[in-house]
Amino acid sequence: MRNHNYELKEDGSAQGNVVSGTADRNGRSLSALKARLAPKAARPWIPNPSPFTVHTGWRYWPRRFPLATAQTPLPTKRCWSSSAKSSNSSSSSSSSTPAPTSRSSDPSPSQASSPNSSQSSSTPPIDWDDSPDLNISAFSELPHSGFGVNQHMLINHEFKEALRQILWQFRAPIRYAFAYGSGVFPQGSGSATGKAIHPSPASAITAAQRGQAKMIDMIFGVSYTQHWHSLNLHQHRPHYSLLGSLGSGLVSNVQDRWGAGVYFNPYVTVNGTLIKYGVVNLDTLCRDLSEWDTLYLAGRLQKPVKILRDDPRVRLANQVNLISALRVALLLLPRTFDERQLYATIAGISYLGDPRMSLPTENPQKVHNIVANQLPNFRRLYAPLIDNLPNITFSDPRCSNPKWAEDSTTNATLAQDMDPIKRGNMVRRLPKVFREKFYFQFQRKFQIPQLEFNKMMEECSDEDPTRVKRRQGGSFERRVAGDEEGLKREVPAAIRQIIAWPSTSQSLKGVVTAGFGRTRRYIGEKVRKWREGRAKAVGATDSGHETKRKDT
């Protein structure tokens, strides 16, 4: 089985699993690898004044894809450039597909004299989300060189390395991994809890959590579920409940056939740090990201996460996921709105239909806390996509400041084009599973006969092998896009249909996979967070009423 467990070093090199002799663990000759890589020159790093930059210095090996450096801009035009936006809008008046730009789309003086300027200035394909090829195996097969760099959040270097050290404690191959949640991105300053939940954490983890010791949540993407659990059971048997005693075959069946296809092991200590990690097959992950069949992991990746190991397939699928979340949010928002409204709408997608939100097991202020404390991260994640869509633009004069993107106090305003043709194209390009449920909602609303509706569905099938044109909205999609009040009802209804059962069954599966003791601890902590959030909401309401009484 092929296993590319490569880590990225700050000097751009890579380190893999322990290699001895003249061949690595995959049986490949080291001399052959050196001969293959020797003629390839490193890509020069070109400075660019764009505010959406990545401040790391890594490169993937052996794919030689430059992930990001301090001088590598995100694939976006300047979002405050009205001329660039208007030209993009006029050239894409009948389409809502973003046109990602290459690294040379915002040229700097050094690029003009760069020996690679002609290569980097080539125009990338504009329909990368129309028919994404999720069978790619190398970063060089992505639509363009800077594709998906917006997915990588910036965190403290020492904290990032401490998280990566956790991954190296697993011998089973992890192809893709990310850390998420309040343990990675603190939601407020807070104060010390006085409860040390990490037995012996790295100092960087303690500092990053700002005195609020919290379990760190991680997701591992793997190629072969049963093989991964077989190796992990042999190394980390205490991570599993009694279910692990029945073997990796049953564990993998429970993972893949129940719930959303994720197997969680919570409250385990790795490298002195308390973590919860979920295991998912890469095929399951990519399907959810591109089609929204459960929205379980797709919803998590619609919010800022810290990617610790990357994979080209997942990067492509997640970029489709992000642009889909942006389109859904635009269907729910009015003509003008601000960033907080946009990001709160996107962050709330994955909580629609989640049974935990209707029970006293989740902080009712969760979405607000996520957006309020991660505005720059949301901006980094979505601003490049916003800037490349033809029907939405930043309309705030504060965006003329080159450093506005780094200012967490700026809540920029945006405006979208309500043209039914553009919005109809946006509807047509929604994820497959969501779009089917969404269409059925409007079939009932518009009382379209079943035969006529079936014929329409066949004509717009994504699986049509003869289709050579991009997906364009027809009369039905334009009618749907023009029904603003109907969209506010039917979009959440379709999302609830997708999320409700996978989320419920995944929660029930947790009792079996985590065990009764860990499940009780998990629910207890969720109830405590719910009470704290409710108390803060009540306090804020009372304070507001008191202020109004004083004013009167």
Side-chain angles (χ1 to χ4, degrees):
M1 182 188 69
R2 298 181 64 186
N3 174 23
H4 295 278
N5 276 352
Y6 297 120
E7 282 291 348
L8 306 172
K9 291 183 177 180
E10 294 301 320
D11 61 359
S13 61
Q15 62 182 8
N17 292 315
V18 178
V19 177
S20 61
T22 59
D24 64 7
R25 64 182 297 171
N26 298 310
R28 294 171 296 188
S29 169
L30 292 181
S31 59
L33 283 175
K34 290 179 180 179
R36 180 182 176 183
L37 296 176
K40 298 187 178 179
R43 178 190 292 270
W45 301 118
I46 303 172
N48 192 301
S50 171
F52 302 106
T53 55
V54 182
H55 303 281
T56 55
W58 312 325
R59 183 177 296 112
Y60 279 89
W61 182 89
R63 304 301 182 188
R64 302 188 67 82
F65 174 77
L67 171 62
T69 68
Q71 298 143 347
T72 303
L74 291 180
T76 175
K77 302 182 294 297
R78 293 181 184 273
C79 62
W80 55 84
S81 173
S82 58
S83 60
K85 190 70 181 181
S86 60
S87 63
N88 181 48
S89 178
S90 62
S91 63
S92 307
S93 60
S94 63
S95 170
S96 63
T97 299
T101 57
S102 66
R103 294 168 65 180
S104 61
S105 62
D106 190 11
S108 63
S110 62
Q111 282 179 298
S113 59
S114 170
N116 291 341
S117 59
S118 61
Q119 180 179 355
S120 62
S121 62
S122 59
T123 303
I126 64 174
D127 289 333
W128 57 265
D129 70 320
D130 201 32
S131 299
D133 180 11
L134 297 180
N135 294 318
I136 62 174
S137 59
F139 288 99
S140 59
E141 298 178 77
L142 290 169
H144 58 89
S145 62
F147 185 85
V149 181
N150 57 304
Q151 300 173 22
H152 288 263
M153 298 297 106
L154 309 179
I155 64 173
N156 176 268
H157 172 72
E158 289 75 16
F159 182 40
K160 171 192 63 184
E161 291 304 318
L163 295 177
R164 284 210 172 113
Q165 287 301 316
I166 293 176
L167 299 184
W168 284 106
Q169 307 308 310
F170 292 85
R171 296 173 189 159
I174 300 172
R175 294 292 301 274
Y176 181 83
F178 67 88
Y180 66 99
S182 58
V184 181
F185 301 99
Q187 298 174 10
S189 56
S191 58
T193 61
K195 184 178 180 180
I197 65 172
H198 302 300
S200 55
S203 59
I205 292 178
T206 303
Q209 295 192 337
R210 304 174 187 174
Q212 294 180 299
K214 293 185 178 181
M215 180 172 63
I216 293 178
D217 299 328
M218 293 183 170
I219 294 292
F220 301 159
V222 304
S223 297
Y224 303 99
T225 305
Q226 183 174 350
H227 181 244
W228 196 93
H229 284 295
S230 176
L231 296 174
N232 201 48
L233 278 167
H234 182 73
Q235 182 187 9
H236 297 299
R237 175 61 186 87
H239 290 186
Y240 293 79
S241 65
L242 288 175
L243 190 65
S245 303
L246 302 178
S248 60
L250 183 59
V251 169
S252 61
N253 281 332
V254 169
Q255 172 183 324
D256 295 331
R257 297 184 182 182
W258 288 14
V262 188
Y263 191 102
F264 282 105
N265 283 328
Y267 300 105
V268 299
T269 300
V270 180
N271 213 33
T273 304
L274 189 70
I275 70 169
K276 176 184 75 175
Y277 65 90
V279 182
V280 63
N281 188 280
L282 284 180
D283 293 336
T284 301
L285 176 59
C286 290
R287 183 171 61 250
D288 190 32
L289 291 172
S290 60
E291 299 182 6
W292 285 15
D293 62 341
T294 67
L295 265 172
Y296 192 82
L297 292 178
R300 279 165 171 75
L301 284 163
Q302 287 164 5
K303 297 177 279 291
V305 303
K306 180 54 190 175
I307 298 174
L308 303 173
R309 284 186 187 164
D310 209 348
D311 179 86
R313 290 176 57 204
V314 181
R315 184 184 289 196
L316 175 58
N318 193 33
Q319 202 76 341
V320 174
N321 174 45
L322 295 175
I323 196 70
S324 299
L326 180 58
R327 285 171 174 150
V328 168
L330 292 178
L331 292 175
L332 296 173
L333 290 167
R335 184 181 299 274
T336 60
F337 49 91
D338 58 41
E339 281 187 294
R340 290 182 185 271
Q341 289 177 287
L342 173 63
Y343 303 145
T345 303
I346 292 174
I349 289 176
S350 60
Y351 296 115
L352 291 172
D354 190 334
R356 297 174 299 175
M357 300 303 293
S358 58
L359 298 172
T361 56
E362 200 64 81
N363 186 345
Q365 301 295 315
K366 186 167 187 175
V367 172
H368 173 268
N369 292 341
I370 291 174
V371 176
N373 292 283
Q374 297 188 54
L375 184 59
N377 287 334
F378 272 100
R379 187 177 290 149
R380 173 178 177 77
L381 193 60
Y382 287 102
L385 299 176
I386 291 172
D387 198 55
N388 282 304
L389 280 175
N391 58 329
I392 179 176
T393 184
F394 285 92
S395 58
D396 197 311
R398 290 174 293 181
C399 294
S400 60
N401 185 346
K403 295 185 178 180
W404 78 273
E406 303 170 6
D407 184 4
S408 60
T409 62
T410 299
N411 183 23
T413 57
L414 301 96
Q416 65 168 318
D417 189 345
M418 305 299 283
D419 175 39
I421 295 179
K422 292 181 180 179
R423 287 172 67 82
N425 292 339
M426 199 160 56
V427 169
R428 178 67 183 85
R429 298 181 184 199
L430 295 174
K432 176 184 174 183
V433 174
F434 169 75
R435 190 178 69 247
E436 290 175 353
K437 296 184 182 296
F438 179 62
Y439 280 12
F440 280 120
Q441 296 286 120
F442 275 94
Q443 179 203 10
R444 292 195 296 267
K445 177 179 173 61
F446 295 154
Q447 297 182 349
I448 300 176
Q450 188 64 44
L451 291 177
E452 181 181 343
F453 182 75
N454 291 342
K455 182 179 178 181
M456 180 186 66
M457 293 294 290
E458 290 178 2
E459 291 176 351
C460 66
S461 173
D462 290 343
E463 287 73 29
D464 182 5
T466 63
R467 179 172 63 87
V468 294
K469 297 181 179 180
R470 67 179 64 179
R471 289 179 287 175
Q472 300 282 357
S475 58
F476 175 75
E477 285 81 8
R478 289 192 289 271
R479 184 181 178 187
V480 168
D483 187 0
E484 295 184 27
E485 293 301 319
L487 286 171
K488 294 179 181 179
R489 293 191 303 269
E490 305 302 342
V491 169
I495 293 174
R496 290 189 187 98
Q497 289 182 25
I498 293 174
I499 293 177
W501 173 244
S503 182
T504 301
S505 56
Q506 182 70 39
S507 299
L508 295 175
K509 183 173 74 173
V511 179
V512 178
T513 59
F516 178 75
R518 292 174 181 173
T519 301
R520 183 175 60 180
R521 179 180 176 183
Y522 180 78
I523 294 176
E525 292 189 0
K526 287 293 185 181
V527 171
R528 177 179 57 80
K529 290 181 179 179
W530 173 80
R531 289 174 178 169
E532 292 176 355
R534 186 181 180 186
K536 289 181 181 179
V538 172
T541 303
D542 293 342
S543 177
H545 291 164
E546 183 66 22
T547 302
K548 289 182 179 179
R549 282 197 295 269
K550 289 181 179 180
D551 293 339
T552 56

